[in-house]
Amino acid sequence: MISLKTIHMKTIKIFFVLGLFMSCLTKNVNAQQTMNTDKPLDRKQQSIVTISAFTAKGDLLQLQKALSEGLDVGLTANEMKEVIVHLYAYSGFPRSIRGLQTWMTVLDERKAKGINDDLGAEASPIKDERSKYERGKEILRKLTGAAQDSPPTGYSAFAPVIDTFLKEHLFANIFERDVLSYAERELVTVSVLCSIGGVEPMLRSHLNICLNVGLTPNQLQQFVNVIKTTAGKKEAKAAQSVLDEVLKNIK
């Protein structure tokens, strides 16, 4: 017959083993979280930042090189075309069109050398039958994590038409296209904002959106480093200042 003392000792051993198991499990989870937090921008993401910065700055010679390197790291031709199309909303048609013309030249030169590049997927048709304004509101809600039903304030109240343009065109027509992810589109956006300068409030908003769509503080720090080598030291310093403020306010 097993004594109560023996049962008690076995029970203690079981709880001790369970405790060790839970401790190891917690350490593994924490390690995984740390690893995810420290995950750097991959080569494709870095290429998106570089292409966006050179296009926004109008540095077409450096852009040619960056576009070829983008193909080498795995971006498709249509993904890079979409990057340049996307940035027109922030740097204007002239920069975007010059970027597209440069891209056409690069593709023609590579084709003449017998290089057949992967074109990649085109944007899928939009099947959502809601108005563009409602679709844009929904996308903006997803990006910011905030409801979009409050009465307009600031510039939206001063010029309501700009609010309509933003929601119907920028966030519906452009962000809705599936060639690039939200995170990739935000990398394009913050790269352009850093490169043109003087738009710190918008940069602050979009850096927050970057965090909302899955980019990490470490990746945004690395983004600033890429800006330093593309847009310039002055632009990187301004971007770092805004990023420091954004990260300081993370709850």
Side-chain angles (χ1 to χ4, degrees):
M1 188 177 198
I2 301 174
S3 67
L4 290 176
K5 182 178 180 181
T6 300
I7 294 174
H8 180 67
M9 291 301 296
K10 287 184 177 181
T11 302
I12 291 175
K13 289 181 179 179
I14 290 172
F15 277 108
F16 178 76
V17 171
L18 285 174
L20 285 176
F21 173 77
M22 292 304 296
S23 176
C24 292
L25 182 61
T26 301
K27 288 180 180 179
N28 286 335
V29 170
N30 289 338
Q32 183 66 38
Q33 289 175 340
T34 300
M35 182 175 65
N36 290 340
T37 300
D38 292 340
K39 182 180 179 181
L41 291 175
D42 62 35
R43 295 178 68 191
K44 291 171 65 174
Q45 291 170 321
Q46 292 180 56
S47 184
I48 287 172
V49 175
T50 300
I51 291 168
S52 301
F54 284 140
T55 305
K57 296 288 283 187
D59 190 340
L60 303 184
L61 289 177
Q62 290 295 330
L63 177 60
Q64 287 187 18
K65 180 181 178 182
L67 289 166
S68 291
E69 290 175 349
L71 291 168
D72 293 338
V73 301
L75 286 170
T76 68
N78 282 334
E79 285 174 333
M80 285 190 282
K81 181 169 67 175
E82 192 74 17
V83 166
I84 301 172
V85 169
H86 178 99
L87 64 79
Y88 103 82
Y90 298 94
S91 63
F93 275 114
R95 292 297 195 208
S96 180
I97 290 174
R98 291 297 285 136
L100 289 171
Q101 290 170 335
T102 303
W103 187 208
M104 292 166 62
T105 298
V106 170
L107 288 175
D108 288 343
E109 289 176 350
R110 289 171 68 90
K111 187 175 181 180
K113 294 177 181 178
I115 303 173
N116 295 315
D117 294 305
D118 180 13
L119 294 180
E122 296 276 0
S124 303
I126 303 301
K127 298 181 180 180
D128 193 328
E129 295 182 354
R130 292 177 298 169
S131 70
K132 288 183 180 179
Y133 189 82
E134 288 302 317
R135 296 190 334 247
K137 278 179 60 178
E138 175 65 14
I139 291 170
L140 187 55
R141 183 195 65 75
K142 291 178 180 178
L143 292 171
T144 62
Q148 300 298 313
D149 298 322
S150 302
T153 59
Y155 66 82
S156 294
F158 181 71
V161 69
I162 199 70
D163 179 69
T164 301
F165 289 162
L166 283 168
K167 289 187 172 69
E168 290 187 352
H169 182 52
L170 176 59
F171 292 110
N173 282 347
I174 299 178
F175 268 86
E176 196 171 29
R177 291 166 61 85
D178 60 0
V179 179
L180 299 175
S181 67
Y182 287 161
E184 289 167 336
R185 289 189 181 278
E186 281 303 322
L187 282 176
V188 177
T189 301
V190 292
S191 299
V192 176
L193 295 177
C194 288
S195 299
I196 63 177
V199 288
E200 283 72 21
M202 290 75 185
L203 177 59
R204 185 180 303 108
S205 295
H206 281 280
L207 286 172
N208 275 302
I209 291 175
C210 284
L211 295 170
N212 289 340
V213 297
L215 294 167
T216 68
N218 182 60
Q219 288 174 322
L220 294 182
Q221 294 286 4
Q222 188 179 2
F223 154 76
V224 173
N225 290 335
V226 178
I227 287 296
K228 185 176 181 179
T229 62
T230 53
K233 294 180 180 179
K234 178 182 176 182
E235 290 81 357
K237 183 178 180 181
Q240 185 67 62
S241 178
V242 177
L243 178 59
D244 289 345
E245 179 184 345
V246 168
L247 297 181
K248 183 179 179 180
N249 292 326
I250 292 177
K251 295 181 180 180

mmCIF file with all atom_site columns, all heavy atoms in Angstrom, residues 25-39:
data_model
loop_
_atom_site.group_PDB
_atom_site.id
_atom_site.type_symbol
_atom_site.label_atom_id
_atom_site.label_alt_id
_atom_site.label_comp_id
_atom_site.label_asym_id
_atom_site.label_entity_id
_atom_site.label_seq_id
_atom_site.pdbx_PDB_ins_code
_atom_site.Cartn_x
_atom_site.Cartn_y
_atom_site.Cartn_z
_atom_site.occupancy
_atom_site.B_iso_or_equiv
_atom_site.pdbx_formal_charge
_atom_site.auth_seq_id
_atom_site.auth_comp_id
_atom_site.auth_asym_id
_atom_site.auth_atom_id
_atom_site.pdbx_PDB_model_num
ATOM 1   N N   . LEU A 1 25 ? 8.601  27.061 -21.898 1.00 0.00 ? 25 LEU A N   1
ATOM 2   C CA  . LEU A 1 25 ? 7.646  27.527 -22.895 1.00 0.00 ? 25 LEU A CA  1
ATOM 3   C C   . LEU A 1 25 ? 7.596  29.044 -22.932 1.00 0.00 ? 25 LEU A C   1
ATOM 4   O O   . LEU A 1 25 ? 7.590  29.664 -24.004 1.00 0.00 ? 25 LEU A O   1
ATOM 5   C CB  . LEU A 1 25 ? 6.259  26.952 -22.593 1.00 0.00 ? 25 LEU A CB  1
ATOM 6   C CG  . LEU A 1 25 ? 5.140  27.317 -23.588 1.00 0.00 ? 25 LEU A CG  1
ATOM 7   C CD1 . LEU A 1 25 ? 5.489  26.785 -24.982 1.00 0.00 ? 25 LEU A CD1 1
ATOM 8   C CD2 . LEU A 1 25 ? 3.810  26.756 -23.119 1.00 0.00 ? 25 LEU A CD2 1
ATOM 9   N N   . THR A 1 26 ? 7.568  29.669 -21.762 1.00 0.00 ? 26 THR A N   1
ATOM 10  C CA  . THR A 1 26 ? 7.534  31.127 -21.676 1.00 0.00 ? 26 THR A CA  1
ATOM 11  C C   . THR A 1 26 ? 8.784  31.740 -22.281 1.00 0.00 ? 26 THR A C   1
ATOM 12  O O   . THR A 1 26 ? 8.730  32.733 -23.001 1.00 0.00 ? 26 THR A O   1
ATOM 13  C CB  . THR A 1 26 ? 7.397  31.571 -20.211 1.00 0.00 ? 26 THR A CB  1
ATOM 14  O OG1 . THR A 1 26 ? 6.197  31.032 -19.670 1.00 0.00 ? 26 THR A OG1 1
ATOM 15  C CG2 . THR A 1 26 ? 7.364  33.090 -20.106 1.00 0.00 ? 26 THR A CG2 1
ATOM 16  N N   . LYS A 1 27 ? 9.952  31.128 -21.982 1.00 0.00 ? 27 LYS A N   1
ATOM 17  C CA  . LYS A 1 27 ? 11.203 31.638 -22.538 1.00 0.00 ? 27 LYS A CA  1
ATOM 18  C C   . LYS A 1 27 ? 11.217 31.548 -24.054 1.00 0.00 ? 27 LYS A C   1
ATOM 19  O O   . LYS A 1 27 ? 11.692 32.443 -24.744 1.00 0.00 ? 27 LYS A O   1
ATOM 20  C CB  . LYS A 1 27 ? 12.383 30.860 -21.960 1.00 0.00 ? 27 LYS A CB  1
ATOM 21  C CG  . LYS A 1 27 ? 12.671 31.180 -20.497 1.00 0.00 ? 27 LYS A CG  1
ATOM 22  C CD  . LYS A 1 27 ? 13.850 30.380 -19.993 1.00 0.00 ? 27 LYS A CD  1
ATOM 23  C CE  . LYS A 1 27 ? 14.137 30.705 -18.530 1.00 0.00 ? 27 LYS A CE  1
ATOM 24  N NZ  . LYS A 1 27 ? 15.278 29.895 -18.016 1.00 0.00 ? 27 LYS A NZ  1
ATOM 25  N N   . ASN A 1 28 ? 10.660 30.430 -24.586 1.00 0.00 ? 28 ASN A N   1
ATOM 26  C CA  . ASN A 1 28 ? 10.621 30.273 -26.037 1.00 0.00 ? 28 ASN A CA  1
ATOM 27  C C   . ASN A 1 28 ? 9.717  31.303 -26.684 1.00 0.00 ? 28 ASN A C   1
ATOM 28  O O   . ASN A 1 28 ? 10.027 31.851 -27.737 1.00 0.00 ? 28 ASN A O   1
ATOM 29  C CB  . ASN A 1 28 ? 10.135 28.867 -26.409 1.00 0.00 ? 28 ASN A CB  1
ATOM 30  C CG  . ASN A 1 28 ? 11.190 27.815 -26.150 1.00 0.00 ? 28 ASN A CG  1
ATOM 31  O OD1 . ASN A 1 28 ? 12.380 28.124 -26.136 1.00 0.00 ? 28 ASN A OD1 1
ATOM 32  N ND2 . ASN A 1 28 ? 10.770 26.579 -25.952 1.00 0.00 ? 28 ASN A ND2 1
ATOM 33  N N   . VAL A 1 29 ? 8.563  31.573 -26.051 1.00 0.00 ? 29 VAL A N   1
ATOM 34  C CA  . VAL A 1 29 ? 7.635  32.575 -26.564 1.00 0.00 ? 29 VAL A CA  1
ATOM 35  C C   . VAL A 1 29 ? 8.275  33.948 -26.542 1.00 0.00 ? 29 VAL A C   1
ATOM 36  O O   . VAL A 1 29 ? 8.207  34.711 -27.508 1.00 0.00 ? 29 VAL A O   1
ATOM 37  C CB  . VAL A 1 29 ? 6.325  32.583 -25.750 1.00 0.00 ? 29 VAL A CB  1
ATOM 38  C CG1 . VAL A 1 29 ? 5.466  33.790 -26.133 1.00 0.00 ? 29 VAL A CG1 1
ATOM 39  C CG2 . VAL A 1 29 ? 5.545  31.291 -25.992 1.00 0.00 ? 29 VAL A CG2 1
ATOM 40  N N   . ASN A 1 30 ? 8.918  34.267 -25.401 1.00 0.00 ? 30 ASN A N   1
ATOM 41  C CA  . ASN A 1 30 ? 9.579  35.569 -25.290 1.00 0.00 ? 30 ASN A CA  1
ATOM 42  C C   . ASN A 1 30 ? 10.700 35.709 -26.315 1.00 0.00 ? 30 ASN A C   1
ATOM 43  O O   . ASN A 1 30 ? 10.901 36.778 -26.893 1.00 0.00 ? 30 ASN A O   1
ATOM 44  C CB  . ASN A 1 30 ? 10.143 35.759 -23.878 1.00 0.00 ? 30 ASN A CB  1
ATOM 45  C CG  . ASN A 1 30 ? 9.046  35.962 -22.849 1.00 0.00 ? 30 ASN A CG  1
ATOM 46  O OD1 . ASN A 1 30 ? 7.929  36.365 -23.197 1.00 0.00 ? 30 ASN A OD1 1
ATOM 47  N ND2 . ASN A 1 30 ? 9.346  35.684 -21.597 1.00 0.00 ? 30 ASN A ND2 1
ATOM 48  N N   . ALA A 1 31 ? 11.432 34.617 -26.513 1.00 0.00 ? 31 ALA A N   1
ATOM 49  C CA  . ALA A 1 31 ? 12.510 34.659 -27.500 1.00 0.00 ? 31 ALA A CA  1
ATOM 50  C C   . ALA A 1 31 ? 11.958 34.879 -28.890 1.00 0.00 ? 31 ALA A C   1
ATOM 51  O O   . ALA A 1 31 ? 12.522 35.613 -29.695 1.00 0.00 ? 31 ALA A O   1
ATOM 52  C CB  . ALA A 1 31 ? 13.308 33.347 -27.454 1.00 0.00 ? 31 ALA A CB  1
ATOM 53  N N   . GLN A 1 32 ? 10.818 34.220 -29.193 1.00 0.00 ? 32 GLN A N   1
ATOM 54  C CA  . GLN A 1 32 ? 10.196 34.388 -30.503 1.00 0.00 ? 32 GLN A CA  1
ATOM 55  C C   . GLN A 1 32 ? 9.721  35.820 -30.688 1.00 0.00 ? 32 GLN A C   1
ATOM 56  O O   . GLN A 1 32 ? 9.880  36.410 -31.757 1.00 0.00 ? 32 GLN A O   1
ATOM 57  C CB  . GLN A 1 32 ? 9.003  33.421 -30.645 1.00 0.00 ? 32 GLN A CB  1
ATOM 58  C CG  . GLN A 1 32 ? 8.332  33.476 -32.011 1.00 0.00 ? 32 GLN A CG  1
ATOM 59  C CD  . GLN A 1 32 ? 9.243  32.977 -33.097 1.00 0.00 ? 32 GLN A CD  1
ATOM 60  O OE1 . GLN A 1 32 ? 9.985  32.027 -32.904 1.00 0.00 ? 32 GLN A OE1 1
ATOM 61  N NE2 . GLN A 1 32 ? 9.209  33.615 -34.255 1.00 0.00 ? 32 GLN A NE2 1
ATOM 62  N N   . GLN A 1 33 ? 9.124  36.410 -29.639 1.00 0.00 ? 33 GLN A N   1
ATOM 63  C CA  . GLN A 1 33 ? 8.660  37.786 -29.709 1.00 0.00 ? 33 GLN A CA  1
ATOM 64  C C   . GLN A 1 33 ? 9.830  38.737 -29.931 1.00 0.00 ? 33 GLN A C   1
ATOM 65  O O   . GLN A 1 33 ? 9.755  39.671 -30.727 1.00 0.00 ? 33 GLN A O   1
ATOM 66  C CB  . GLN A 1 33 ? 7.910  38.153 -28.429 1.00 0.00 ? 33 GLN A CB  1
ATOM 67  C CG  . GLN A 1 33 ? 6.554  37.466 -28.315 1.00 0.00 ? 33 GLN A CG  1
ATOM 68  C CD  . GLN A 1 33 ? 5.896  37.748 -26.982 1.00 0.00 ? 33 GLN A CD  1
ATOM 69  O OE1 . GLN A 1 33 ? 6.553  38.131 -26.009 1.00 0.00 ? 33 GLN A OE1 1
ATOM 70  N NE2 . GLN A 1 33 ? 4.591  37.549 -26.930 1.00 0.00 ? 33 GLN A NE2 1
ATOM 71  N N   . THR A 1 34 ? 10.944 38.475 -29.231 1.00 0.00 ? 34 THR A N   1
ATOM 72  C CA  . THR A 1 34 ? 12.122 39.309 -29.397 1.00 0.00 ? 34 THR A CA  1
ATOM 73  C C   . THR A 1 34 ? 12.672 39.192 -30.806 1.00 0.00 ? 34 THR A C   1
ATOM 74  O O   . THR A 1 34 ? 13.048 40.180 -31.434 1.00 0.00 ? 34 THR A O   1
ATOM 75  C CB  . THR A 1 34 ? 13.206 38.899 -28.380 1.00 0.00 ? 34 THR A CB  1
ATOM 76  O OG1 . THR A 1 34 ? 12.676 39.062 -27.065 1.00 0.00 ? 34 THR A OG1 1
ATOM 77  C CG2 . THR A 1 34 ? 14.445 39.755 -28.537 1.00 0.00 ? 34 THR A CG2 1
ATOM 78  N N   . MET A 1 35 ? 12.674 37.952 -31.325 1.00 0.00 ? 35 MET A N   1
ATOM 79  C CA  . MET A 1 35 ? 13.186 37.732 -32.659 1.00 0.00 ? 35 MET A CA  1
ATOM 80  C C   . MET A 1 35 ? 12.338 38.489 -33.685 1.00 0.00 ? 35 MET A C   1
ATOM 81  O O   . MET A 1 35 ? 12.862 39.103 -34.618 1.00 0.00 ? 35 MET A O   1
ATOM 82  C CB  . MET A 1 35 ? 13.174 36.236 -32.968 1.00 0.00 ? 35 MET A CB  1
ATOM 83  C CG  . MET A 1 35 ? 13.746 35.894 -34.342 1.00 0.00 ? 35 MET A CG  1
ATOM 84  S SD  . MET A 1 35 ? 13.855 34.118 -34.601 1.00 0.00 ? 35 MET A SD  1
ATOM 85  C CE  . MET A 1 35 ? 12.126 33.668 -34.580 1.00 0.00 ? 35 MET A CE  1
ATOM 86  N N   . ASN A 1 36 ? 10.992 38.444 -33.512 1.00 0.00 ? 36 ASN A N   1
ATOM 87  C CA  . ASN A 1 36 ? 10.109 39.147 -34.423 1.00 0.00 ? 36 ASN A CA  1
ATOM 88  C C   . ASN A 1 36 ? 10.319 40.650 -34.337 1.00 0.00 ? 36 ASN A C   1
ATOM 89  O O   . ASN A 1 36 ? 10.275 41.353 -35.342 1.00 0.00 ? 36 ASN A O   1
ATOM 90  C CB  . ASN A 1 36 ? 8.655  38.787 -34.117 1.00 0.00 ? 36 ASN A CB  1
ATOM 91  C CG  . ASN A 1 36 ? 8.329  37.352 -34.497 1.00 0.00 ? 36 ASN A CG  1
ATOM 92  O OD1 . ASN A 1 36 ? 9.033  36.749 -35.306 1.00 0.00 ? 36 ASN A OD1 1
ATOM 93  N ND2 . ASN A 1 36 ? 7.285  36.801 -33.906 1.00 0.00 ? 36 ASN A ND2 1
ATOM 94  N N   . THR A 1 37 ? 10.529 41.152 -33.120 1.00 0.00 ? 37 THR A N   1
ATOM 95  C CA  . THR A 1 37 ? 10.730 42.573 -32.918 1.00 0.00 ? 37 THR A CA  1
ATOM 96  C C   . THR A 1 37 ? 12.016 43.040 -33.578 1.00 0.00 ? 37 THR A C   1
ATOM 97  O O   . THR A 1 37 ? 12.088 44.151 -34.110 1.00 0.00 ? 37 THR A O   1
ATOM 98  C CB  . THR A 1 37 ? 10.765 42.899 -31.411 1.00 0.00 ? 37 THR A CB  1
ATOM 99  O OG1 . THR A 1 37 ? 9.512  42.511 -30.829 1.00 0.00 ? 37 THR A OG1 1
ATOM 100 C CG2 . THR A 1 37 ? 10.977 44.383 -31.173 1.00 0.00 ? 37 THR A CG2 1
ATOM 101 N N   . ASP A 1 38 ? 13.038 42.184 -33.543 1.00 0.00 ? 38 ASP A N   1
ATOM 102 C CA  . ASP A 1 38 ? 14.345 42.549 -34.075 1.00 0.00 ? 38 ASP A CA  1
ATOM 103 C C   . ASP A 1 38 ? 14.491 42.227 -35.556 1.00 0.00 ? 38 ASP A C   1
ATOM 104 O O   . ASP A 1 38 ? 15.555 42.442 -36.127 1.00 0.00 ? 38 ASP A O   1
ATOM 105 C CB  . ASP A 1 38 ? 15.446 41.831 -33.290 1.00 0.00 ? 38 ASP A CB  1
ATOM 106 C CG  . ASP A 1 38 ? 15.546 42.346 -31.855 1.00 0.00 ? 38 ASP A CG  1
ATOM 107 O OD1 . ASP A 1 38 ? 15.069 43.459 -31.611 1.00 0.00 ? 38 ASP A OD1 1
ATOM 108 O OD2 . ASP A 1 38 ? 16.077 41.624 -30.999 1.00 0.00 ? 38 ASP A OD2 1
ATOM 109 N N   . LYS A 1 39 ? 13.455 41.676 -36.160 1.00 0.00 ? 39 LYS A N   1
ATOM 110 C CA  . LYS A 1 39 ? 13.529 41.290 -37.570 1.00 0.00 ? 39 LYS A CA  1
ATOM 111 C C   . LYS A 1 39 ? 13.833 42.507 -38.430 1.00 0.00 ? 39 LYS A C   1
ATOM 112 O O   . LYS A 1 39 ? 13.146 43.509 -38.376 1.00 0.00 ? 39 LYS A O   1
ATOM 113 C CB  . LYS A 1 39 ? 12.212 40.657 -38.002 1.00 0.00 ? 39 LYS A CB  1
ATOM 114 C CG  . LYS A 1 39 ? 12.202 40.180 -39.450 1.00 0.00 ? 39 LYS A CG  1
ATOM 115 C CD  . LYS A 1 39 ? 10.869 39.561 -39.801 1.00 0.00 ? 39 LYS A CD  1
ATOM 116 C CE  . LYS A 1 39 ? 10.845 39.116 -41.259 1.00 0.00 ? 39 LYS A CE  1
ATOM 117 N NZ  . LYS A 1 39 ? 9.534  38.531 -41.619 1.00 0.00 ? 39 LYS A NZ  1
#
